[in-house]
Amino acid sequence: MSVTRAPMDYEQAGELKIGQVGIANLRIRTLDVDQLIREMRERVERAPKLFGRAAVIVDFGGLSRLPDADTARALIDGLRGAGVIPVALAYGTRDTETLAEQLGLPLLAKFRAQYEPVGGASAPTASAPRPVASDAAPAKAAPAPAVPKAADIKPGLVQKTPVRSGQQLYAENRDLTVLSTVGAGAEVISDGSIHVYGALRGRALAGARGNADARIFCREFHAELVAVAGHYKVMEEVPKELRGKAVQIWLDQDQLKIAAQD
């Protein structure tokens, strides 16, 4: 007697992104509690030094409706059992605030920035009608854009000495260049791109506020974790032939790419 197996579903129920200060943001895409817990447990088992007891913000913004308090509590408890620590909900609506109160968790807003346009405005679904100029009131020419002053343009941050284990270096609204090494257990973060002219052994997070055009460059690749605009890879997911090589890291259609610089 033949048995017909249902096709495997490889779509992840939750998308895990790394936030600006190394806090992970779990955006729930499918409210399947068992699958979400299983995925998180696999992440922790794959990279226990990075994800074991890691702080996680739970984001229900990808769902059409919020879960009830019992379902959300089951998810929070299950994530704790999987090895991470849910510390907050990502802010969404007034209902999200109520749910957070029921769960005894705070709300954090800034971790929604990499999913939504600046200012929280929804993406337009249709072009707005353009106003028509009448003969009596001709349209005025748009003013020329203001030329930014030199003082408004931030140069890239240059770190001349090694970034040692336990240290965190953040380049706000600019690129970051490290002329030496980034040690294991250290973390370098930039809203722009990151250039490391020595060995990269810790974590490097480029495009921390959602800039998908940011890149990471390093002379010697041994990173524990790299991320661009929240999309990340840990060392266990990197091909062995790239380890110790000069590489560049970038996003291509929401997929993190790593390639040797020949």
Side-chain angles (χ1 to χ4, degrees):
M1 178 179 178
S2 62
V3 178
T4 303
R5 296 181 178 273
M8 292 291 291
D9 182 9
Y10 294 100
E11 184 72 18
Q12 287 189 329
E15 179 183 6
L16 189 71
K17 288 193 174 186
I18 303 301
Q20 183 176 319
V21 290
I23 298 179
N25 183 44
L26 179 62
R27 185 169 174 84
I28 309 301
R29 301 193 299 189
T30 303
L31 191 58
D32 184 329
V33 173
D34 292 338
Q35 183 178 346
L36 288 163
I37 295 171
R38 183 170 59 252
E39 289 173 2
M40 188 60 70
R41 183 176 292 110
E42 290 172 354
R43 292 182 180 110
V44 173
E45 291 174 352
R46 188 165 59 241
K49 291 184 179 179
L50 292 176
F51 295 129
R53 293 187 56 78
V56 173
I57 294 168
V58 180
D59 184 356
F60 292 115
L63 301 176
S64 59
R65 56 182 299 180
L66 283 175
D68 57 50
D70 289 340
T71 302
R73 191 172 291 109
L75 174 60
I76 297 298
D77 291 343
L79 292 175
R80 289 195 184 101
V84 297
I85 303 176
V87 295
L89 298 189
Y91 183 80
T93 64
R94 185 63 62 84
D95 290 338
T96 313
E97 184 176 355
T98 300
L99 180 60
E101 292 175 357
Q102 293 172 330
L103 297 175
L105 291 174
L107 284 175
L108 289 180
K110 65 181 180 179
F111 288 87
R112 296 293 300 277
Q114 52 186 274
Y115 294 112
E116 296 177 354
V118 175
S122 301
T125 55
S127 298
R130 296 182 178 179
V132 178
S134 66
D135 293 338
K140 295 182 179 179
V147 177
K149 299 178 182 178
D152 296 333
I153 302 173
K154 285 188 176 182
L157 176 63
V158 178
Q159 173 73 13
K160 298 179 181 179
T161 58
V163 186
R164 303 190 185 280
S165 178
Q167 290 183 319
Q168 183 188 80
L169 186 63
Y170 173 42
E172 183 179 7
N173 295 326
R174 51 184 168 170
D175 290 353
L176 172 62
T177 299
V178 180
L179 300 182
S180 188
T181 60
V182 178
E187 190 170 68
V188 289
I189 306 169
S190 172
D191 291 337
S193 295
I194 296 175
H195 307 258
V196 180
Y197 286 94
L200 171 58
R201 300 184 183 278
R203 308 183 194 186
L205 291 78
R209 294 192 180 184
N211 181 4
D213 294 325
R215 294 194 176 214
I216 300 172
F217 303 87
C218 74
R219 287 272 181 88
E220 189 179 330
F221 182 66
H222 301 283
E224 300 168 350
L225 177 146
V226 288
V228 176
H231 299 267
Y232 74 94
K233 282 186 183 294
V234 296
M235 178 54 79
E236 290 79 2
E237 299 173 317
V238 176
K240 292 184 178 180
E241 59 268 22
L242 293 177
R243 300 179 186 181
K245 298 294 182 63
V247 303
Q248 67 167 312
I249 300 147
W250 74 100
L251 273 184
D252 182 5
Q253 296 182 350
D254 287 341
Q255 296 295 317
L256 195 69
K257 303 290 186 179
I258 304 178
Q261 298 187 78
D262 297 324

